[in-house]
Amino acid sequence: MKFLNSTYEDLDTIFSLFDAAIEYQKKKGNELWPQFSRELIKNEISEKRHWKIVNEGTIVSILSVMYTDPII
């Protein structure tokens, strides 16, 4: 497994993972995540705050780092 910065080329995969996670949450009766905008994720990528975990050439997980969040 490799832990790498996400790239703009990963956007379709990133949003596929988001969509699958949101659908799973809905099936379980929880709607925790909003629909993220592409601009938000592009910004995280450009600031090197968005990451992917790659296993055998496949992105298996994604995450982002947030240094400040007024809600949290």
Side-chain angles (χ1 to χ4, degrees), residues 2-52:
K2 294 181 182 178
F3 190 79
L4 307 165
N5 281 107
S6 299
T7 67
Y8 296 125
E9 291 78 25
D10 298 323
L11 282 169
D12 287 340
T13 302
I14 289 167
F15 280 91
S16 284
L17 290 169
F18 282 145
D19 291 343
I22 290 168
E23 187 60 33
Y24 178 80
Q25 289 174 351
K26 287 179 182 177
K27 285 181 183 176
K28 295 297 182 181
N30 300 309
E31 291 189 42
L32 304 173
W33 287 359
Q35 185 64 43
F36 298 105
S37 75
R38 285 180 96 80
E39 289 307 309
L40 172 72
I41 304 306
K42 284 180 181 180
N43 188 48
E44 290 177 347
I45 290 171
S46 70
E47 293 177 355
K48 303 287 188 207
R49 296 186 299 111
H50 202 277
W51 298 84
K52 61 187 173 183

